[in-house]
Amino acid sequence: MRSLILLTASRYLLPLLLLFSVFILQRGHNEPGGGFVGGLVAAAAFVLYSLAYGVPAARVLLRLDPHATIGLGLLLVVGSGAVGAVLGQPFLTGVWTEVTLPFLGHLEVGTPVLFDLGVFLAVFGVTLMIMFALEEEE
């Protein structure tokens, strides 16, 4: 399916959807959203692009193998849980620390953020792997 509307819309919607997925990921810690929904929105951006330009063009634009993002996501999830276990607390216990950065000021950084990022990457990779395989099968 090659239409001028789809080609043009996918080029403009891709960065907007990726930006929205980062917003959902960041917002999801205290409100609805998070890594799962953010990963789905990010994958939808690349699926839309692949419908317009084809899977090979989407793979070139992605520059990452979906399998690698799945592996990295799972590593982050397990690593975020292991931090609590290493500190003598139950696995997946949220551990927080405070850092001060030059332009951002005082920030609280914790393992739940790493967990959400890991879920984001795993969902992103699995969704793209499935959708690319379905599109290539046709």
Side-chain angles (χ1 to χ4, degrees), residues 88-119:
Q89 299 174 351
F91 185 73
L92 287 176
T93 299
V95 178
W96 292 91
T97 186
E98 298 175 359
V99 294
T100 303
L101 298 175
F103 296 106
L104 298 176
H106 178 76
L107 294 175
E108 283 190 48
V109 180
T111 55
V113 176
L114 289 177
F115 181 83
D116 278 343
L117 186 60
V119 170

Side-chain angles (χ1 to χ4, degrees), residues 21 40 44 46 117:
S21 73
L40 284 177
F46 281 96
L117 186 60

Side-chain angles (χ1 to χ4, degrees), residues 4 13 18 20 31 43 47 52 71 77 79 82 90 97 113 120-121 129 135:
L4 182 60
L13 285 175
L18 291 177
F20 187 60
E31 297 179 38
V47 169
V77 167
T97 186
V113 176
F120 178 93
L121 290 173
M129 186 179 69
E135 287 184 42

Side-chain angles (χ1 to χ4, degrees), residues 63-86:
R63 298 181 187 173
L64 290 172
D65 183 21
H67 295 93
T69 61
I70 295 169
L72 182 60
L74 292 176
L75 191 65
L76 281 174
V77 167
V78 172
S80 70
V83 171
V86 167

